[in-house]
Each structure stands twice: as C-alpha cells, then as structure tokens.
Amino acid sequence: MRGRALLMVFLLSLMYVVCGARLGSERQKLEIEKHLNRLNKKPVKSIESPDGDIIDCVHISHQPAFDHPYLKDHKILTRPEYHPEGLFDDNKVSVKPKERTNPINQLWHLNGKCPEGTIPIRRTKKDDVLRASSVKRYGKKKHRSIPIPQPKSADPDLINESGHQHAIAYVEGDKYYGAKATINVWEPKIQQPNEFSLSQLWILGGSFGQDLNSIEAGWQVSPDLYGDNNTRLFTYWTSDAYQATGCYNLLCSGFIQINGDIAMGASISPISAYRNSQYDISILVWKDPTEGHWWMQFGSEHVLGYWPSFLFSYLADSASMIEWGGEVVNSEADGHHTSTQMGSGHFPEEGFGKSSYFRNIQVVDGSNNLKAPKGIGTFTEQSNCYDVQTGSNGDWGHYFYYGGPGKSPNCP
Ligand SMILES: *[C@@H]1O[C@H](CO)[C@@H](O)[C@H](O)[C@H]1NC(C)=O
Ligand SMILES: *[C@@H]1O[C@H](CO)[C@@H](O)[C@H](O)[C@H]1NC(C)=O
C-alpha cells in the first residue's frame, strides 16, 4: 500500500515536471514571438544579404524608436542643425602611398538598396533571441560588463574579475561634446561563442556607479549576438550602467535612424588583411547645440541618426570622459587566458598593415569644434595579452595602435 502511494506521488510529480516544462517552453515560444513582432517592423521591401542576414527596409516613421512613449509625437529631424567645425580636415591630408587605406561598404549592398523614405534594419531571427540568456536580455550587454575601463578611480580587482579586457586611450577632466575616430577594420578570431571582440569609441557621463551614461559605436565580432564571426558595425547606449535602459543598434527604442543606406548590426566588407590591403571606418558622434541630441555620422557622408537628449541624465549636458580602443571578453577562469584576439590579433609594435589602429582621434569642444584631445592616457589590464601605444604625426593626427593575440607564452 505504502509502495503504491509512493509510486503515485512519484508519477504525479513526474507529470507535474513534464507538463510544467512543456508549459514553460510554450510560454517561452510565445514570449519570443511577441518580442520578434515588437522588434521586426513590417518591411516595405526585404533584401537578402550574402552573409544570411535579412535587411528589412522599414518606413522611417515605423522604426522601433517610436514605440517609446516619449517619442509618440516626435517630429523626425531630417538633419543636424550643426556639424562640428573642422569635420572635413582629414580629406585634405595627403596620405603616404604606403599608408593608403580604402573605402568600405556593407555586405548587403551587393544585393540591393532600400527605397526612399525607408531605413534598413537587420531582421532579428528566432535563433538570435534563443542564443540570449533570456528574451529580456537579448540585445543588451551583460551586467557584469559594468566595470568598463575606469582608469583612475578603478578597483583593479573588480576590473580583472569582470573578465573584460581592454586596451584603450582616453581623455577626462573636461566637458566633451563629441568624439571622432577613424578605425582600422579587422576580423579578430573568437575562441568561444560567449566571448566577443570589439573596437569602438565610448562617450561617457556620470560616475562609474549605477548611473553611468554611455554612447558607444564601432565594429564588433560577437557570435552570441549575431550567430556568426563577421565584423559588424554597431552602436550601444545606456543611461543606467547597462541595467534597464539601452541596447545594441535598434534592438530597443531610443536611437532614431534617418539614413537609408547603412544598417546597424550589418556586416562590414571588405576587412583588412595582414601585410595586405587596409580598410578603415570613420565614426563621429556629437551633440547638436540647438536640440541637445547626440548625432552619429558614419564615413564622410552618412549621417545615421540621433539619440534624443531625454534618454540621458548626465549626457543631456555633456560627456566627462571619452575612450577609444578595444575590448574582449575573457571567459577562462582562474587567471587563464582566452585566445580571443583584439584588433588584428597583433601587438602595437608591429605597426601599419599588421597591428590595428585608430587614427585622427579627436574630441568636440564646447564651441562645437573638433580638436586634438589633450592629455591622452592609456589603459590596459594586462599589456602582455593586449597592449596600446599612442603617437601623433601630420598625416594621422593623434593615433594609436592596439590589440594582441590573447593567450600566448607571455599571456598564459
Ligand atoms: C589583472 O590580473 C593579472 C594576472 O593576475 C595581473 O598581472 C594584472 O596586474 C591585473 N590587472 C590589474 C589592472 O589589476
Ligand atoms: C566562429 O569561429 C570559431 C573559432 O574561431 C569557430 O569554432 C566557429 O565555428 C565559428 N562560427 C561560425 C558560425 O562560423
């Protein structure tokens, strides 16, 4: 009798577990579908990219930004009121033939263009969301990435603990209204799918506590986010240190895109090769003094769009720090090191054509002028794994080489 009762209890709990799991997965499926419907707006036209992406051309007024309650009645600005002065200076520079670099494109351009009045948005697929730790976290940085480099105030243990490794140049101690850089583009190797390697600029405001404001843009390789090892153009923003607000690209409402040619999150092509052709992208982010919005420009002609001022607290006024450089995630425990590469995977000493660079790094000052940054500092957790070296000359202005191979005899 006792045995039977026990068996009954066992069977009942088994049923409960099985049904519960099925209900859970049904619920998850519904949740994913709802999320995909929210993210993927009805396209006017869709373009299949050679890398497997689908680029949806979405009517400009149907983009994700307008899901934001504060943007319901927002009138889209068609262009910034002001461009920082000195913007086109680097076009006048005569580059030595040895250091000639090439223009760059997005891979999906091979298969079509978006019609007038629409913007290209990389379609989110079910698999993209399934790779995330949860539907809610999809498109967001993990909490543990909070200690982004905090060169002076940082608790070194905390920096190392986070598993994130940087090699960056930075300026602080002034009010900044924008930043610019021309960034060499590579396709670093990623050891594990949950790691990433990126090269970007950071526009930072606030303390490095819970209220950090950040606008970020550059290129990244992130198997978790995109499902492949391609180098992709990306942006990120947060107004609470990567907690509740913000996301990559257009994966939440916030950024308002006005450009019909460039898709955020789409693959960049071609990529630089060791001792061979070099490619770079220019990124400029600046605060328009009239409306206070933060604008972004890609290359010399593509104004991508803007982050409305109300998204931010500190950055609604100005930035207190600018950083440029590389970041990787090291997922190895116990002081061991990943072989995930930063930049080209080669150290700064190797120089042009071998090591990755940022050139013409500039900041925007209170009078809306682009200026050489003053008092550039550098930071890296472990220079034997990933390093950075700054310099300046007439052709490249302020520049630096950065990166490294990760795991090596010098970086066990
Ligand atoms: C991080 O850890 C490594 C190895 O334990 C150490 O050599 C390095 O100095 C640490 N970096 C910082 C910024 O504390
Ligand atoms: C990405 O690269 C890693 C190793 O570098 C490889 O194991 C993996 O299969 C690649 N993933 C894709 C989707 O190509």
Side-chain angles (χ1 to χ4, degrees):
M1 207 55 200
R2 176 110 181 275
R4 232 204 242 157
L6 269 179
L7 185 68
M8 202 67 181
V9 167
F10 172 74
L11 284 177
L12 276 174
S13 29
L14 190 68
M15 244 165 79
Y16 181 78
V17 167
V18 170
C19 292
R22 175 150 335 133
L23 269 180
S25 79
E26 279 298 315
R27 199 175 310 131
Q28 195 203 15
K29 229 163 107 186
L30 264 173
E31 202 186 347
I32 289 175
E33 241 141 63
K34 254 173 71 187
H35 197 62
L36 288 176
N37 278 336
R38 240 188 334 256
L39 285 176
N40 295 324
K41 305 300 180 191
K42 205 168 137 59
V44 172
K45 173 185 174 182
S46 295
I47 297 164
E48 210 169 313
S49 171
D51 59 359
D53 276 3
I54 308 218
I55 302 295
D56 285 328
C57 306
V58 172
H59 195 277
I60 186 165
S61 60
H62 297 163
Q63 62 182 300
F66 298 107
D67 293 341
H68 199 294
Y70 286 12
L71 289 172
K72 281 264 173 325
D73 302 314
H74 181 81
K75 197 165 169 293
I76 302 175
L77 303 173
T78 52
R79 59 189 173 81
E81 205 68 39
Y82 288 99
H83 255 109
E85 300 287 329
L87 183 57
F88 300 106
D89 278 359
D90 18 304
N91 293 347
K92 289 187 211 131
V93 167
S94 64
V95 176
K96 286 176 245 152
K98 168 171 117 35
E99 295 181 350
R100 189 166 295 139
T101 54
N102 301 290
I104 212 151
N105 241 316
Q106 287 195 309
L107 205 52
W108 65 275
H109 291 170
L110 292 172
N111 290 347
K113 279 185 79 141
C114 277
E116 188 117 4
T118 69
I119 59 158
I121 305 183
R122 177 183 186 266
R123 188 185 296 175
T124 300
K125 297 177 180 163
K126 205 167 126 196
D127 285 344
D128 292 329
V129 181
L130 282 173
R131 278 191 309 273
S133 59
S134 77
V135 174
K136 269 214 183 104
R137 292 306 301 171
Y138 171 67
K140 290 180 182 292
K141 288 196 180 179
K142 296 193 175 80
H143 286 270
R144 68 193 188 99
S145 72
I146 290 175
I148 59 169
Q150 320 167 32
K152 281 188 182 157
S153 51
D155 172 356
D157 289 341
L158 205 64
I159 292 176
N160 260 349
E161 210 176 283
S162 76
H164 288 238
Q165 303 247 293
H166 307 83
I168 60 161
Y170 68 93
V171 289
E172 63 178 340
D174 207 343
K175 284 187 166 209
Y176 307 100
Y177 296 85
K180 185 177 185 200
T182 298
I183 313 175
N184 199 192
V185 181
W186 292 82
E187 193 179 281
K189 293 251 177 318
I190 312 296
Q191 183 187 293
Q192 311 237 22
N194 63 345
E195 298 176 331
F196 64 64
S197 181
L198 53 74
S199 297
Q200 63 167 90
L201 52 83
W202 285 260
I203 299 200
L204 299 163
S207 67
F208 282 86
Q210 304 291 304
D211 59 357
L212 181 76
N213 286 197
S214 183
I215 290 178
E216 306 171 18
W219 59 257
Q220 66 181 165
V221 178
S222 175
D224 240 5
L225 190 58
Y226 302 106
D228 61 21
N229 296 318
N230 289 352
T231 302
R232 292 162 179 279
L233 175 71
F234 83 96
T235 60
Y236 199 92
W237 70 273
T238 179
S239 60
D240 64 353
Y242 309 104
Q243 299 173 83
T245 62
C247 60
Y248 282 108
N249 307 328
L250 297 179
L251 294 173
C252 61
S253 50
F255 187 80
I256 299 172
Q257 181 159 344
I258 61 166
N259 185 280
D261 297 317
I262 302 296
M264 293 205 274
S267 302
I268 299 173
S269 173
I271 301 296
S272 307
Y274 192 72
R275 290 179 188 272
N276 213 320
S277 301
Q278 297 301 303
Y279 298 90
D280 54 31
I281 55 173
S282 285
I283 288 176
L284 166 67
V285 176
W286 79 101
K287 189 175 169 66
D288 189 304
T290 49
E291 306 274 355
H293 304 324
W294 287 88
W295 287 80
M296 170 165 164
Q297 177 164 310
F298 177 75
S300 57
E301 53 193 69
H302 295 292
V303 174
L304 239 66
Y306 55 100
W307 290 271
S309 179
F310 76 80
L311 294 174
F312 303 103
S313 48
Y314 295 99
L315 288 180
D317 177 56
S318 60
S320 51
M321 185 171 193
I322 308 285
E323 297 173 355
W324 300 264
E327 175 180 350
V328 304
V329 172
N330 176 23
S331 64
E332 299 282 316
D334 307 326
H336 290 288
H337 227 281
T338 170
S339 61
T340 286
Q341 300 174 330
M342 183 191 293
S344 68
H346 291 264
F347 283 114
E349 291 79 22
E350 293 195 41
F352 186 80
K354 298 164 204 154
S355 181
S356 186
Y357 61 81
F358 278 56
R359 62 184 174 95
N360 284 312
I361 62 171
Q362 294 176 82
V363 296
V364 179
D365 70 8
S367 322
N368 209 34
N369 288 315
L370 271 163
K371 283 216 168 123
K374 275 210 195 85
I376 301 175
T378 59
F379 173 82
T380 177
E381 285 90 354
Q382 278 176 277
S383 56
N384 49 324
C385 302
Y386 309 102
D387 205 2
V388 54
Q389 261 178 28
T390 57
S392 69
N393 64 35
D395 287 338
W396 276 20
H398 287 272
Y399 67 85
F400 60 88
Y401 287 101
Y402 70 102
K407 188 183 173 75
S408 76
N410 284 329
C411 169

